[in-house]
Amino acid sequence: MNGVDKAREKARHEVERAKGRAKELAGRFTGDERLEAEGRTDQAKAKMRGAVRSLRERARGVRDSLHRGRH
């Protein structure tokens, strides 16, 4: 994955997180508990996807450093 793809993926997760936050706030202001909970769920999903992305990048880094060490 190149730098542009990484940035695009990170931006997509941030947009998902922001949409979740907006839903949560809209639910809170309107008293719609379901919308508020949906917003919190969306934020948690975005956070988890970001964590998985970060873990994947770290694993690639470790793999690459081990691969370079063999030569």
Side-chain angles (χ1 to χ4, degrees):
M1 184 178 284
N2 65 33
V4 173
D5 290 337
K6 287 179 187 178
R8 186 175 289 142
E9 187 175 341
K10 184 175 181 180
R12 184 173 41 238
H13 295 304
E14 286 301 314
V15 168
E16 288 177 9
R17 189 192 62 75
K19 286 168 62 176
R21 181 70 176 146
K23 280 184 183 180
E24 179 185 7
L25 291 175
R28 188 176 297 163
F29 289 130
T30 61
D32 186 341
E33 292 178 7
R34 183 175 180 199
L35 184 60
E36 187 177 349
E38 186 178 324
R40 284 194 304 268
T41 301
D42 289 350
Q43 289 178 78
K45 283 185 203 177
K47 185 175 180 179
M48 183 60 69
R49 286 184 182 128
V52 168
R53 178 187 49 81
S54 177
L55 182 60
R56 192 179 318 131
E57 288 176 11
R58 287 180 182 179
R60 283 186 188 126
V62 168
R63 181 196 65 199
D64 292 347
S65 67
L66 291 173
H67 184 67
R68 281 190 301 262
R70 291 183 183 176
H71 292 118

